[in-house]
Amino acid sequence: MSKMILSDLLIHFSIDEDLPEYLLNQTFNKVFLDGKLTKEGNTYEIAVTTRQNVTHHLFIKPGEEFPVIVLSELPNGLLNGMKFPQNESVGIPINKL
């Protein structure tokens, strides 16, 4: 699984938003580079489905309590992911909220 940092992804999709500095250096799966970008209001969503039939979503919500959220939908319908807060700390797994 190849990795990249969030700032590279923002450049790839021409997303020019202010996000916490620590998030810009956070690593994410390179699979998002092949995703489809949509924007609704102030929320960006990058979604991609892999060959294993897992759909990954990366939500970028500048100014929100959790400005970056990764959510994966598994073939069995289960969800997993991580929410990243404004201030640097360990991300919070989706199932802990």
Side-chain angles (χ1 to χ4, degrees):
M1 183 182 314
S2 298
K3 301 282 184 177
M4 57 160 189
I5 59 173
L6 183 60
S7 62
D8 292 336
L9 189 65
L10 297 177
I11 291 167
H12 178 78
F13 282 103
S14 300
I15 298 173
D16 185 23
E17 296 287 350
D18 289 327
L19 293 170
E21 188 67 33
Y22 91 94
L23 279 175
L24 296 176
N25 295 312
Q26 193 73 33
T27 58
F28 291 92
N29 190 320
K30 246 183 172 174
V31 70
F32 287 111
L33 291 173
D34 295 327
K36 178 183 175 194
L37 174 68
T38 57
K39 183 179 181 194
E40 187 173 316
N42 197 34
T43 299
Y44 298 86
E45 178 185 358
I46 300 169
V48 63
T49 301
T50 65
R51 287 181 289 180
Q52 294 81 18
N53 204 28
V54 176
T55 301
H56 301 282
H57 302 270
L58 177 65
F59 298 95
I60 301 168
K61 302 176 172 194
E64 296 286 325
E65 180 181 0
F66 296 98
V68 174
I69 299 170
V70 177
L71 181 66
S72 298
E73 298 176 46
L74 306 175
N76 62 7
L78 294 177
L79 301 174
N80 73 21
M82 191 74 70
K83 288 187 170 190
F84 295 89
Q86 281 287 343
N87 298 313
E88 186 171 8
S89 67
V90 176
I92 301 170
I94 297 292
N95 64 354
K96 297 290 184 191
L97 295 174

